[in-house]
Amino acid sequence: MDAATAEGFKQAMNYERGRKAPPENFPSLPDIPGVRYTNPEFLELERERMWRRAWLYAGHADQLPEPGSWFLTRDPGAPILVVRGLEGDIRAFYNTCQHRGAPLVAEMSGESRGFVCPYHGWSYTLEGKLVAVRDRRDFVDLDFSCRSLVAVRCESIGNLIFINEDPEAEPLAQHVAPMAKEFEQYQFGALRLVDSRSYEVECNVKVLLDAFLEVYHVQSIHQKTVARFLDYRGMVITLWPNGHSRMITPNSRPEWQDPGTIGMPKIATVTEVPANNNVSYLIYPNFVMPPSDSGVPLLQFWPVTDRSCRVVSTWIGPDYDPAASNPLWDTRIANWERILYEDLQFAPQIQESLESRGFRGMPLNYQERRIYHWHEELDRRIGLNQVPPDARVAQVLGDVVEA
C-alpha cells in the first residue's frame, strides 16, 4: 500500500466515524434465512458445490522440511496426503490405495521414500506412481500407468499450502488475484511456522465464520480485550470477487501499540496501514488472516458435522527458531487465545437458538455486509437456480469490487 492508498484509507476511516447512516446507495439487505445453518439438504449442497470445490489451506511448508516429508490432513472431509518430492516440489494425493481403498498412512506426519499400502503391499513413489504390486503374475492386464494415486490440486502462496479437490478449479494465484499485490508485503515465503492448535465447537461452521467477518460484536463480548483499543466505528470494508473481502479497523489511539508485540522481530516490508491498524483478510471460504508487522495468525473454520466445527489457529512469524524458548511468543499466543475464547463462548447456544422456532432470519446491517457478501458467493457456487427457495439469498451486493 503506497502513500496515496494509505491516505485514502485514512479518509475512508474518517468518513465512517462521522456518518449518521449507511451511504445513500447502500441497499436494504434481505434477511439471511436461518435454514442455511440447519437444513440438511442445503448443507449437503454446500458441502458438494462449495467446500469440495474450494481452495482450502492445508498447512505450512515448514511441516515438510525435507524431501520425502509428508503430512495428512482430514480437514477438507477426505483424508489427503501432502508430500514434498525428491526435487522439493509439493504435491497432494488422496490417502487411498488404488487396489481396495486402504489408507497408505495412518499417522499424521512422517518421512518416506515412497508409500507402501499396509493391506496388500502396493507401492507408490512420492510422485504417486504405482511401481510394485505383490503377486503381479495373478493380475490380468494390470496397467500401472492407470493406477497412480489420485492427485489433488495443490498450490502455494509463499509457504502457505492450499489444496482443492476440484481438478477444474481456477489457479490459486488467479483465485486470490484481488489481494495478491497486498500479500507481497508480508513475505509469506520467509515466515516460519510458530504454533498451531485447534478447537472443537458445537455449532454450524458458519456461526463462527460470521463472527470473524464483522466487529459489530466487539463492544459486547470483547469489553476487556480488543474493545479497549479498537475504533470499530471507523472500520473500512472492501468486497472483492470470488467472495473475498478485507476489513480494516483503526486503533482508537493512533499511538497505541500492542504491548504483546514489543521486542518481537518485525517484517520490515509491512506498510503503514497494516502496521498501525487492524487488517483482516478473508480468502473465501474459510481462511481468516489478520496480519501484523510482527506475526500473522491464520484462522481456518472447518465443518465437521452439520452442527459442529473445528477452528484451527496457526501463527507464522519472522526469524522464528522452533528450537529456542520463546517467552514473547508464549505470551502473545496466550493473549490471542483469550480473545479467541471470547468469540467461541456463545456459539453452541447460538446453534440451539437457530434450531428453535424463535429464530426467523438474520437482519444484517451495513457493518455486517461481509457476511452477506459471503452468503451471496455461496449461492453462486451452489448455482442460483439450485438453492432451495426458502434458503436463497438475494444477489443484492453482487460480485463486484467495493473500494
Side-chain angles (χ1 to χ4, degrees), residues 385-398:
N385 62 344
Q386 299 297 313
V387 180
D390 66 337
R392 289 177 187 166
V393 167
Q395 298 289 304
V396 173
L397 297 176

Side-chain angles (χ1 to χ4, degrees), residues 57-58 63 72-75 108 193-202 208 212 286 298-304 308-315 333 336-337 340-341 344:
Y57 177 73
Q63 296 172 253
L72 181 67
T73 177
R74 292 188 174 90
D75 286 325
M108 293 306 295
L193 179 63
V194 176
D195 181 81
S196 188
R197 57 191 71 184
S198 63
Y199 309 84
E200 307 293 325
V201 187
E202 294 299 316
L208 283 177
F212 285 81
N286 71 331
L298 315 173
L299 285 168
Q300 306 98 57
F301 301 83
W302 299 100
V304 177
S308 66
C309 66
R310 179 182 301 111
V311 181
V312 180
S313 174
T314 300
W315 276 90
I333 292 170
W336 167 259
E337 191 169 53
L340 189 58
Y341 275 125
L344 304 183

